[in-house]
């Protein structure tokens, strides 16, 4: 097993473990937010292994930086009692959800591997110079995908307006 | 020696299912929002993984469809969190509770 594979499995284990901890067995809601950070950072590590360096940096900046800080800010703003997690998942619901989720996952993977969608293209070993770095991705963003960038800016503007209106006490 | 795409997609599916289970079984609005973030991250992982497979065009130029899509998903996730936390604050103000079962006015 190469070092790259070892890193992938280490990050994958960390991501799955902290994701399960987040929904399953932490005692306090701040601990759930911290588990979310661990998942995000592990995924950023996997992105680096897949030659998506810019995405990895943005993952850490936006998710681990901005989004989780926003969660923590709101948690601190509320005065939460008994860890703030509320009732744990009811056993029956949990069994149902895990059953459905497991069936869907395994079914998808079986169908995908039998139909052979994964074997369409072998992995390209020799990538172009600077693949996934800021320069190449920036050029792609502002030439081929300029319209998408503009539209996502519009989405962000609309959500800012929506958040301000929702958070206001009284609309005058 | 690279990571096989099957393993990346399996990890993505696993994380997505963990997110679904969290969103369906927990009744706490903050945990539900975090589970939705987890699902968006799983989708991002699949997009970046597939971008690694289809990374070069027939002419040998690099292509970034998957990575650009992942960037858009990150932007939409940020927007979703802002609106979701706004809804959470107004739920606290009107119901004094984080439990989604207390906001069942529109339930059939």
């Amino acid at each position: 097993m190469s070092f790259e594979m070892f890193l992938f499995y280490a990050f994958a284990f960390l991501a799955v473990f902290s994701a399960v901890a987040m929904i399953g067995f932490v005692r306090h809601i701040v601990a759930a937010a911290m588990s979310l950070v661990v998942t995000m950072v592990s995924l950023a590590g996997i992105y680096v292994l897949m030659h998506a360096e810019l995405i990895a940096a943005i993952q850490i900046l936006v998710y681990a930086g901005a989004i989780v800080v926003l969660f923590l800010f709101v948690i601190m703003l509320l005065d939460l009692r008994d860890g703030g997690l509320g009732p744990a998942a009811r056993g029956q619901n949990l069994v149902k959800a895990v059953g459905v989720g497991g069936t869907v996952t395994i079914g998808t993977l079986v169908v995908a591997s039998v139909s052979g969608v994964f074997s369409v293209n072998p992995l390209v070993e020799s990538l172009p110079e600077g693949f996934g770095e800021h320069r190449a991705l920036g050029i792609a963003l502002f030439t081929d995908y300029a319209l998408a960038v503009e539209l996502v800016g519009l989405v962000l503007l609309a959500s800012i307006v929506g958040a301000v209106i929702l958070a206001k006490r009284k609309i005058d | 020696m690279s990571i096989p795409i099957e393993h990346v997609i399996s990890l993505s599916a696993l994380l997505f299912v963990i997110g679904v289970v969290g969103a369906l079984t927990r009744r706490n609005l903050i945990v539900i929002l975090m589970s939705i973030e987890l699902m968006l991250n799983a989708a991002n992982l699949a997009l970046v993984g597939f971008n690694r497979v289809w990374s070069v065009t027939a002419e040998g130029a690099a292509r970034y469809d998957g990575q650009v899509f992942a960037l858009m998903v990150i932007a939409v996730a940020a927007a979703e969190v802002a609106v979701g936390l706004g809804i959470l604050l107004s739920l606290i103000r009107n119901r004094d509770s984080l439990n989604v079962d207390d906001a069942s006015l529109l339930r059939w």
Side-chain angles (χ1 to χ4, degrees), chain A residues 141 145 148-150 152, chain B residues 44 67-77:
Chain A
L141 268 179
Y145 302 98
V149 173
E150 299 289 336
V152 91
Chain B
N44 266 348
Q67 294 193 14
V68 170
F69 215 140
L71 275 177
M72 301 297 155
V73 172
I74 289 176
V76 171

Side-chain angles (χ1 to χ4, degrees), chain A residues 28-93:
Chain A
H28 197 281
I29 192 136
V30 176
M34 289 298 120
S35 316
L36 190 63
V37 174
V38 175
T39 310
M40 307 290 180
V41 173
S42 321
L43 285 182
I46 292 176
Y47 292 163
V48 171
L49 292 178
M50 287 190 290
H51 297 277
E53 285 88 356
L54 182 70
I55 307 282
I58 288 176
Q59 167 91 358
I60 289 180
L61 286 175
V62 174
Y63 271 116
I67 290 182
V68 177
V69 168
L70 203 60
F71 272 116
L72 287 176
F73 185 70
V74 169
I75 291 168
M76 300 297 172
L77 197 65
L78 311 170
D79 186 23
L80 296 174
R81 297 163 298 274
D82 58 37
L85 273 175
R90 273 176 241 134
Q92 207 188 357
N93 286 356

Side-chain angles (χ1 to χ4, degrees), chain B residues 58-97:
Chain B
E59 290 82 40
R63 54 195 285 184
Y64 294 106
D65 304 280
Q67 294 193 14
V68 170
F69 215 140
L71 275 177
M72 301 297 155
V73 172
I74 289 176
V76 171
E80 175 253 322
V81 164
V83 176
L85 290 177
I87 293 173
L88 189 150
L89 285 179
S90 73
L91 182 69
I92 290 272
R93 199 176 301 138
N94 290 313
R95 292 270 187 278
D96 194 28
S97 158

Side-chain angles (χ1 to χ4, degrees), chain A residues 7-25:
Chain A
L7 276 182
F8 173 75
Y9 290 123
F11 281 134
F13 174 77
L14 207 57
V16 171
F17 177 80
S18 53
V20 172
M22 181 187 87
I23 67 156
F25 55 81

